[in-house]
Amino acid sequence: MRVLGVDPGLTRCGLGVVDVAANRTATLVGVGVVGSSHELTLDARLLVIAEAIDQWLDAFKPEVLAIERVFAQTNVSTVMGVAQVSGVVMVAAARRGIPVAMHTPSEVKAAVTGNGRADKTLVTAMVTRLLRLSEPPRPADAADALALAIAHAWRSGNSFSKDPQGPTAAQKLWREAETKSKVKKNKEKPAPKWN
Amino acid sequence: MRVLGVDPGLTRCGLGVVDVAANRTATLVGVGVVGSSHELTLDARLLVIAEAIDQWLDAFKPEVLAIERVFAQTNVSTVMGVAQVSGVVMVAAARRGIPVAMHTPSEVKAAVTGNGRADKTLVTAMVTRLLRLSEPPRPADAADALALAIAHAWRSGNSFSKDPQGPTAAQKLWREAETKSKVKKNKEKPAPKWN
């Protein structure tokens, strides 16, 4: 399953494409951040992002687009821009018949780290590990988009839970990490030796 | 100046096209509401609206798109949908090189009725009168989109204030209405005999 994860934002919009196999193994396909300058008008900023999303959808042809579910309760100064970007992103997928899935940040963190309140450092460390990368993905703020893509594939996969082979290496790794992050109460730092 | 006014909303998105002459006379060109069903997914709802906006922009070729400025402080349950729709609408205009102007509801009410806190009844009555219609525009909730379009043309028109001919009939009507709405403290009902 190929998923494009989008972490919407006007100033920086994170994009991450991941292929997730039936055995839950996730592979990095593409990662990036599209930003728009504060000096542009709002409609021009949204257009910059819309055109980038169009390019990513056409280049990577994801089966699903996963996007962060936006809440009005969060940071009021940025939430409107985030919502406007998310609307633009969703329409780009809908125009191509690509289904859109929404997940909350805590759902993503729980899926990837086992802790719905994991900090950014832990999320990045787990994304790096799960994608078998030798170093954290760059740009750094695209890690959330990759986490979203991985989380979507894992959360949506009924097929995974019916796997007759039992847990795969990736599943074991995940469960182990889940336990670890719970035990350490989310205070751990990413350890370079993980890779 | 031809203006497309958009009152963004997921369930009902008001659209109104108005031609405003240099003497401030406003003429109705098109009015409508595009709605999307609660039964659709959010991305599908946004797509319905995006396609309608595309059609309106291509059919009426407005010089400017005027849209309500959305605030995070307003109704939390609907504001996210409104922001998502506004993002989609702004991008549609930006793709065509059509400038986007934003006005707050109170700016629109002040421009059209002379009272920034005018109620919907007064706004509709003034829109009906200013467009020289024999009855209020239908659908009723498209009146705000028409008010937005008229308000934009009037607020943006430096040329109007330099009119060497002095106030036109429409300007007099407007000033008279402005005074009237202030005097009556926004309690008046629309009077059918106005037309």
Side-chain angles (χ1 to χ4, degrees), chain A:
Chain A
M1 175 190 285
R2 175 164 293 187
V3 186
L4 168 59
V6 180
D7 180 22
L10 255 184
T11 305
R12 293 183 72 80
C13 182
L15 300 166
V17 182
V18 168
D19 279 343
V20 181
N23 71 358
R24 280 180 171 260
T25 305
T27 305
L28 177 64
V29 178
V31 62
V33 166
V34 51
S36 71
S37 164
H38 284 96
E39 292 172 15
L40 296 175
T41 58
L42 179 54
D43 56 307
R45 298 183 74 175
L46 292 168
L47 181 59
V48 168
I49 295 163
E51 291 184 338
I53 298 291
D54 284 345
Q55 286 166 2
W56 279 63
L57 289 172
D58 292 340
F60 293 109
K61 302 193 188 306
E63 292 160 66
V64 186
L65 184 147
I67 189 164
E68 197 176 295
R69 188 183 295 277
V70 190
F71 291 104
Q73 295 91 316
T74 53
N75 188 345
V76 171
S77 69
T78 61
V79 74
M80 302 310 296
V82 170
Q84 286 163 333
V85 169
S86 78
V88 166
V89 169
M90 284 189 268
V91 163
R95 281 192 201 277
R96 290 163 175 79
I98 297 171
V100 174
M102 283 178 279
H103 301 284
T104 65
S106 61
E107 286 169 346
V108 172
K109 289 172 181 174
V112 174
T113 73
N115 180 347
R117 287 176 295 173
D119 66 8
K120 195 166 182 67
T121 305
L122 178 59
V123 171
T124 300
M126 283 305 301
V127 165
T128 306
R129 194 177 182 184
L130 293 165
L131 293 174
R132 293 157 287 126
L133 305 174
S134 58
E135 52 184 41
R138 299 275 168 218
D141 50 2
D144 284 342
L146 292 168
L148 196 54
I150 297 168
H152 172 73
W154 286 3
R155 284 173 56 91
S156 66
N158 271 343
S159 58
F160 298 145
S161 60
K162 291 173 188 162
D163 188 344
Q165 309 293 315
T168 63
Q171 283 172 315
K172 283 178 191 161
L173 187 73
W174 178 64
R175 286 175 193 169
E176 181 194 311
E178 188 173 25
T179 310
K180 195 175 170 187
S181 71
K182 278 178 184 162
V183 170
K184 291 205 176 179
K185 291 181 182 165
N186 189 22
K187 282 179 182 168
E188 64 187 336
K189 290 286 180 186
K193 66 175 184 287
W194 278 6
N195 300 299

